[in-house]
Structure formats: C-alpha cells, structure tokens
C-alpha cells in the first residue's frame, strides 16, 4: 500500500484515545492481551504480534480473530508485479481501536491468473491497479500465510508515550519533506512512523525483511 495512502486513512480519525493506550480495556476482550508493543521474534526468526505469527498464521486465522472478512484486493503497481492485501476497518483488540492492512505471502505465479480473471479493475492516483478478486480466488487466499501487518491506530500519540510503551528505537530516520520520523526496531521487525501531528503507522515484518522495507527511506 502506498505510504501516502496509508497516512490519508488516519486523517479520518476525529478524536484522540491516549487514555486507551494508557489504560487498555475500553471493551471487554476474551483471551490474552494482544497489544501493538508486544512484538517478539521466535526461534525461527518470525515476528509474532497480536497473537499472529508472520509467515505462519493465515488470512483465515486473522478473519477469525477479528470476526471480520476484511476487504481483499489484488494490487499491480507495474505489469507482472502483484500483491494481495486485506483491509480491516475499526478493529478492537485489548480495548484499542485501529485499522489493519495485512499483506499475504503469495508467489507471482499464483497471483497472475487471479489478475487475469479479476472481476473489476480500477486505478489509484499512483497508477497502481486495484483488482477486485473472484470469490473462488478469495477462498484460496484464505489459506495463505501473512507476510506484513500494517497497524493504524485511531489515536494521536506523543513521543513520550510511544517510548514508554515500545521502548527506545535502535534508529530514527526522518523524512525531510513530510516531517515523518520512523522509529526502527530491528529486533522486532518493526517500523513505527509518526508524523508531526502525532499520527502513527506501525509496520511489522520478519526481521530478515526489515532492510528491504526501510531501504526507500535511505534512498535505496
């Protein structure tokens, strides 16, 4: 998903819920806490967060966890390049409300035929094509593991609160034009981006994939 598009989604949030970050429990949840700062890496180098393990947990598991099917689309930024994302809106976990964008780990040879018999094609401002998938293809994708989670909290969060919850990052990378600062946590496979107004986007990948995720920030 385009970075500008991700940040624009956050623009619809009207209220700050910092108290919810400080005191989770705005809604009653079943099961163990599933908090955005509780990210760990297992002995196989896979990031685990929200009770989900990247490269192992499937789209079906996420749908069950969220009790939502999500909006699933195939994206094609250039010919022969494809990615599948599922967007979940206003999900509550452990009393915290956020939107989620989940990218699936699917090889191009699997996605190419799905592109060809997609139901509808539209074009985003960036030029990327968005394809509405056939329901039969969506059923196949439900069994595919996830590769990348983007977490979009509704809150505007200050730096002190973020550092209290997530800890001190190994590195901070600033975007000169936007003023967005990326907090990089290599040991968690996490990139926490905060704009000057306190809007936050958190991306989770396996640590082995983090360098490729942040390469554009370094001009790579």
């Amino acid at each position: 998903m385009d970075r500008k598009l991700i940040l624009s989604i956050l623009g619809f949030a009207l209220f700050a819920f910092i108290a919810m970050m400080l005191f989770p429990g705005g809604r009653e949840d079943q099961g163990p806490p599933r908090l955005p700062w509780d990210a760990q890496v297992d002995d196989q180098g896979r990031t685990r967060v929200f009770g989900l393990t990247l490269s192992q947990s499937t789209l079906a598991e996420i749908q069950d966890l969220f009790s939502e099917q999500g909006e699933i689309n195939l994206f094609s930024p250039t010919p022969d390049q494809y990615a599948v994302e599922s967007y979940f809106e206003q999900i509550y976990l452990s009393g915290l409300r956020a939107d989620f964008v989940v990218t699936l780990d699917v090889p191009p040879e699997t996605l190419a035929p799905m592109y060809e018999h997609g139901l509808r094609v539209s074009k985003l401002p960036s030029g990327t094509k968005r394809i509405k998938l056939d329901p039969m293809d969506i059923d196949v994708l439900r069994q595919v593991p996830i590769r990348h989670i983007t977490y979009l909290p509704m809150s505007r969060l200050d730096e002190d609160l973020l550092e209290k919850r997530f800890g001190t990052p190994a590195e901070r990378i600033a975007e000169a034009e936007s003023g967005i600062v990326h907090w990089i946590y290599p040991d968690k496979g996490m990139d926490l981006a905060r704009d000057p107004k306190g809007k936050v986007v958190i991306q989770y990948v396996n640590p082995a994939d983090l360098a490729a995720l942040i390469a554009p920030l370094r001009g790579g």
Side-chain angles (χ1 to χ4, degrees):
M1 174 174 285
D2 294 345
R3 189 178 305 277
K4 291 182 179 178
L5 180 61
I6 291 174
L7 291 174
S8 70
I9 294 172
L10 289 174
F12 293 103
L14 300 179
F15 301 100
F17 290 95
I18 294 178
M20 295 175 64
M21 290 290 283
L22 289 170
F23 305 102
R27 285 192 174 188
E28 184 178 354
D29 290 312
Q30 301 297 323
R34 301 177 186 272
L35 299 165
W37 51 83
D38 187 15
Q40 302 174 345
V41 175
D42 67 14
D43 56 6
Q44 297 184 48
R46 303 174 302 192
T47 295
R48 182 169 176 82
V49 65
F50 307 116
L52 302 165
T53 302
L54 300 186
S55 301
Q56 175 178 301
S57 299
T58 63
L59 176 59
E61 292 177 58
I62 297 175
Q63 291 172 329
D64 290 344
L65 173 63
F66 294 166
S67 298
E68 296 283 350
Q69 293 301 299
E71 180 184 334
I72 304 171
N73 288 289
L74 171 64
F75 293 90
S76 180
T78 63
D80 302 323
Q81 288 190 336
Y82 310 103
V84 174
E85 294 179 354
S86 185
Y87 173 59
F88 297 88
E89 186 175 13
Q90 296 192 23
I91 300 298
Y92 281 86
L93 286 181
S94 297
L96 306 181
R97 186 180 70 166
D99 295 344
F100 287 77
V101 180
V102 178
T103 303
L104 304 184
D105 194 359
V106 194
E109 57 268 24
T110 299
L111 295 179
M114 294 184 181
Y115 175 90
E116 292 300 329
H117 47 77
L119 301 182
R120 186 173 63 248
V121 179
S122 58
K123 185 172 287 189
L124 302 178
S126 64
T128 295
K129 293 180 180 179
R130 178 173 57 193
I131 296 87
K132 181 177 176 62
L133 291 167
D134 184 286
M136 294 183 65
D137 289 330
I138 291 176
D139 286 341
V140 172
L141 292 171
R142 292 184 74 249
Q143 307 309 317
V144 169
I146 59 177
R147 182 173 184 176
H148 181 175
I149 296 175
T150 302
Y151 180 78
L152 302 102
M154 297 293 100
S155 318
R156 295 176 185 264
L157 305 172
D158 64 43
E159 294 188 6
D160 289 342
L161 177 60
L162 289 173
E163 189 153 358
K164 177 181 178 181
R165 291 302 189 188
F166 291 89
T168 302
E171 182 181 8
R172 288 180 170 88
I173 305 174
E175 295 183 27
E177 293 185 4
S178 65
I180 295 170
V181 178
H182 295 258
W183 297 25
I184 310 301
Y185 299 83
D187 59 330
K188 299 179 179 180
M190 189 171 69
D191 169 13
L192 186 159
R194 180 185 182 276
D195 78 2
K197 296 182 179 180
K199 297 177 184 177
V200 171
V201 174
I202 306 174
Q203 298 186 78
Y204 303 91
V205 295
N206 291 326
D209 296 329
L210 185 62
L213 177 69
I214 65 176
L217 302 176
R218 306 184 190 280

